[in-house]
Each structure stands twice: as structure tokens, then as C-alpha cells.
Amino acid sequence: MENQHHINRIALVLILAAVLLAVSSVLAIGIGSVYIPPDKVVEALFSKDAVGSTEYIIVTNMRLTRVIASIFGGGALALSGLLLQILFQNPIADPYVLGISSGARLFVGLVMLGGLTFGFSTTNPWFLFLGSLAGALAVMVIVLLFAMRMHSVVTLLIVGTMLGYLCSAMVNLLVAFSDDNAIADFTRWGMGSFGLMTWSQIQVLVVVCAVIFVLSFLLTKSLNSLMLGESYARTMGVNTRRLRMLMILFSGVLTGVVTAFAGPVAFIGMSVPHICRLLLRTEDARFLVPAVILTGGVFGLVCDLIARTVASPSELAVGTITSFVGVPIVLFLLVKKNKVSV
Amino acid sequence: MSQVVLRNLAVGYGGHPVLNNVNIQLMKGRFTCILGPNGSGKTTLLKTLAHLLPALGGVVEIDGRDLTQFTSAQLAREMSVVLTERVQLENTTCFEVAAMGRAPHTGFFGVLTNEDKKFVLDCLEKCSALYLKDKLFHQISEGEKQKVLIARGLAQDPHVFILDEPTSHLDIKYKLEVLSTLKKLCTQEGKTVVCTLHEPELAAKCSDYLILVRDGEIPRWGPTQELVEGGEISQLYGLKPNQLDLHIGSVEFCASCQKDFFLIGSDARSVSLMRTLANQGVGVGAGVLHENDFLCRMVRSMGGQVVTVPSYTPIDCAKQQEALDLALEYRCIALADFPDCEITRGNLELAQKLRQLGREVFPADLSRVETALAKDGK
């Protein structure tokens, strides 16, 4: 923005992130119980000759879904985190930390365990998404009501954690009254994994995320005005009420759609925006939004890859890996924040 | 010519009015200061003016048009606001902060044209903040931050510039720098500037108009000179009548009301002598002083008694007698070191008469006076 040097740095980071995303996708598709070298992966993906070969079947039926799911899942959670951090003016805001993922989980539980289906089939991905969205928005509204009264960074963290516990308790109640098959499905989903999605679910995930990604770009100018606080934004001609509604809606939809199909995944939403700020050295939303989406994709992909390979043949929940990265970042930010203010 | 008109305005929070029936005008190209004690509603008034709070009654008009009829984008080009909120921003340079002010003028993605960039640099320069442009906002001092935030407001290119306590938390250098920037904006660029200030002595010196706010109303508003002459500003803050002397913009600590030390005439060291003694809890008085003597205003500000004659006139017998009577009430008397000339001779005669009456008259020297006061105190 201000000087060419900085612009070059930002451009370099964005290009590197995109290249890294492409390369790691190909590698991630290849790595697994059967190793497929990168050239075969590219062939299976793009060449018509490969249709029907063993590689083609493994790539399209098993690996590709997972890679697409982790890229979009990671990008969506990261963008949701960025929006929440700007909305709450709080560096540790994140869909998981604020209990929004837990709210989504509760409502998904109502659908999967409670049979709260209003006549729809539980396998309908749109219905699962809407349930999850309702849960995410419900918790976000409650957190916002608290945030309006209390401005401390730490208090918000406690409110989010408490709401998370409350949702978990309600889920446990549901579990107690459910039949064993449903519980097995729900528990597997509740661990958090990008590997459980069907093609129809992935279609919903990709469509919803793509729409919100594009719409988020349209908010970037207003998001920048919000950096100085809400009053300043208003005096610069921003309709802050509308902006807040859109930010809540966007981050709710993103969290909702990922949680519906992948279960709650911790800390991606918080870590990635901070990694991007560190790399880009800017708060400018016009650069942070694309950077966060790309880096979130890489982050999701790599964490998922580690989760399924490190203890192979058994598999870890992706949330385990993201927590290892995310928790130190939260603690670091809290210590730093306490030094400056509070 | 008035640019902003407040008509029967009621301001407050959550339906509870803090100020009622406000009828004032802000003149185009003039610097208006709002003064008042803490909690009097200055900031509430300012925020209503800036449309950050809804008016509880009445209207605010800019160039004859009701504030509520502007869209928020139009209003952002008409007026800009600098608030007291602490801004915490990392990873952002001062240029970027100032450039945020261009938001109402840029396109959908807020891309700055070369003209925009030049304009922002100009604004930084006008606020003597150009040297900060590449520094990170969170690493500079409070005073520098304030200059950058004012540059941001200026970058909005407003007609009306509203600032809430732009000088609070700043040291005296930055206070003067910020206020002279604002003055320049009025005189050189014709901006209408309105701000709240906590320093009446500075407001009296830099503003064209004053608005006084107290106890839920506006007791007076008008041209600064008229209000300074009227002496209402000391009362505004509940001070003693002469304690705040706005002609010279000085406020003094109240001295003890005991009659301890009386100074005859004045010299170059009298001001510091009187302040030092007053700080030690000594009650002071002086005479006969000429009206244009600074000491005369200072002793009055401290609450001491002074006998005066008009500027540049000899001391007449009546005044000499008045001073004599007054001096006799004091425990210790000293004579300042002034040259013997026509208009001061009366004070030398006064010292002579006091000596004849058996009173000791010391030279106006701090250590001698302190010793005399201490001995007498026993």
C-alpha cells in the first residue's frame, strides 16, 4: 500500500502460498497406504487416458475428496476466524474458542441423534448444513450479547469456553437417549476429520465456501475502516450495523458448513490469521482475506496429511494436530496482550 | 457566517438528556472551543454534533441542511471526527492510518490514486507528522499518534472538523503543536473547527469562539474576547473569582488567607519570591502596584490583597495611605528592589513611613524574608 517494497513482499507471499497449495495438494493426493508418485497424480487428475486405472480410482474416489475437503475446510475456518477477530476486535477470537463450533455440533447432534429432521433425510447435506448454521449463529448471538457488555479479551474467552461446555453437556444428554448406531456415527464425526465427506457434501461445501470467499472481498474496504474502531468507521461513512450483520452471517455460514461435514476442528481460525499477519506485516483486509484463505487451505491440508500419516495405519483427528499448533499461539497472544494492556 | 446551527438541541444517552435547549452556531472558518468541567456533557454534545449519538430533540443543520438527511457517506465528506478512544493497531504504518481518511473518497476497493497519496502526504505535513509516515503506528508516542489521527481526519477533506479533547494526555509541546495546527486549518484553509478542551487558558488564547457548558445547560457562548472580559470562565470550573486570569491565561494556586507577608512595589524576582512563599503556605499581599504589573494579576489570582494605581501614573497619597493601613496588618514587610523614579517614589515613601512607625522593612530577598517569618512565627 504505502511502498513498493511492501507490495512486493505481499505479492510474493500470496504467490508462494498459491504455489505451495498446488504442490502440497498433489503430494497429499499421492501419499497414503498406496503411494502414487506426483506425475501419476497429475495424470490421473487431468489426463483422459488414465480413467479407469487403479491410480484414477484411488485418486478420485478416496484421496481427492479428502484433499478438497481439507483445503476448503481450512480456508473457510481461517476466514471465519479473521472475520471474528475483526468483529470482536480481539486477537484470540476463533469459531472454536468462542464456542461457535460447539453450537454447530449441538444442532448437528439434534439432527443426527435427536431425529429433529422435519421430514428431511438426515443424509441431505443441505439440511445438515442448515442445522449446523442455526447452531453457529445461535451461539454467536449469545457471545455478541456478552461482548457488548464486557470488553476484556479474557472474559470473552471464558464466555466462549463456558458456552462450549454447555453445548457439550447438552450433546451428552442427547447421546444418553440415542441408539448405539447413531452414537457411533456421531462420535466419529465429532472427533473432527476432513476424511468423512461424501461427494454430495463436498459439493455443498465448495459452493457455499466459494460464494462467501467472493462476497468477503466486497467487504474489505469497510473492514479496513473498522480497524480504528466502530465510531471512527461510522464517521468515515461505513454502515457499521449492516457490516456487523454481514460479518456475523459470513463467519457463521463458514463455520456452519465446515462443522456440518467435518465436525468441530479447533484453532485453525485463530492460528492462520496470525500467521498471515506475521508474514504480510499488514492489517489491510484486502491482502489478509486472500492470504488467509490460501494459507488456511495449506494449513488444513498439511494438518490433515499429518493426522492420517503420522500414526498410520490408524488415524488421528485433525483437531489433534491443529490444537498442537493453535494452543501455543493462544497462550503467546494472551501473555503479549496482558503486557500491553488489561 | 454560520456553517453549523444547533437549534433547540437536546443531547444525552439512552433517552436521558444531559444538555437541553442548546442553541448555538459554529462560524465558518472559525475555531470554536467547548469548555466545561468534567462530566458536564461536552463530549455528549460533540458526539451528537458528529451524528455518533442521535439527538434527543431539536436539530443540527450543516449549511442549512438537517444532519439526519445526509447519507453516512455524504456526511463523511462533510465532517470528520477525531475521538479520544485509544486506537490499538499493529502492523500498520502512520501513512496507512492517515490514508484511512480517504475512504469516503475512494472507490469500491479503496484503492488510492496518486492524487490520494499526495493528498495524504500533504495532510501529514500540515500536521507536522510527515516524518512519521513510514513508522509503525503502535510504536510512536501518544502525541505523535494524535498528530497522525488529526492528519487522518484532515485526509477526509471535511468542511467541519470535530475533535474530542485533542490535547489530553499530551505534553505541553504537543498541546501547542496540535492547537496551532488546528488554528492554521481555520485561517489558511477555511475549515470550521470545533473541539472540547480541558485547558481554558489555552482555549482563551487559540479559539475564536467559546461555548461554556455547565450543569446541563450552556450558560454562555460567544466570541472568546467577550467571554474572557466577562470573567465567567473561573466560575465555570467553580474556582475563586480571580484565580484564573484569562487575559494572561494564567492560573495560580490559592495562597493562605492569613496576613503573613506584604511586598512593597515589585522587581524582576518578585514573581518567583511570591510563588515560593505562597507554596510554603505563607499568605501574601502587595502594594502599591501599577495595574499593568504582572505581579498585581498574580497576587490577585492567588487570592491576596493588592493596592493598585493606574498604569504609568505616580502613586497618590490616598493609595499610599491605603497600602500603609494594609501593610500594618501583615506580620512581615519587604521592599522590592525597584529604581527610584517619579512613578515609584510613593513606594519608597511608604517604606519610610512604615519604618517611622517602628515596623521593620526587609529587603525583598527570599532567605532574609524566610528567616524573618520564621523568627516572627516563634
Side-chain angles (χ1 to χ4, degrees), chain A residues 221 231-232 235 283 286 336, chain B residues 83 90 103 106-107 109 156:
Chain A
K221 183 182 171 185
S231 299
Y232 272 115
T235 67
E283 298 285 327
R286 289 172 301 169
K336 189 175 146 206
Chain B
L83 300 162
E90 288 185 17
T106 55
F109 284 102
Q156 248 174 279

Side-chain angles (χ1 to χ4, degrees), chain B residues 352-367:
Chain B
Q352 199 63 39
K353 285 183 182 168
L354 283 163
R355 284 195 180 107
Q356 283 164 6
L357 288 169
R359 290 295 305 262
E360 200 170 350
V361 177
F362 299 94
D365 173 79
L366 183 61
S367 57

Side-chain angles (χ1 to χ4, degrees), chain B residues 1 3 27-31 154 158-161 182-193:
Chain B
M1 184 186 146
Q3 177 143 42
M27 304 299 165
K28 197 180 179 75
R30 300 290 171 183
F31 189 0
L154 202 54
H159 299 119
V160 182
F161 201 7
L182 296 178
K183 268 182 75 68
K184 255 189 262 167
L185 291 179
C186 296
T187 51
Q188 293 175 7
E189 316 220 349
K191 308 270 187 218
T192 304
V193 177

Side-chain angles (χ1 to χ4, degrees), chain B residues 234-261:
Chain B
S234 247
Q235 293 165 29
L236 183 70
Y237 293 95
L239 299 179
K240 300 246 163 61
N242 290 320
Q243 198 176 355
L244 182 62
D245 189 332
L246 285 176
H247 279 284
I248 41 181
S250 135
V251 63
E252 296 291 338
F253 291 92
C254 273
S256 154
C257 52
Q258 290 166 338
K259 295 190 169 170
D260 296 316
F261 175 71

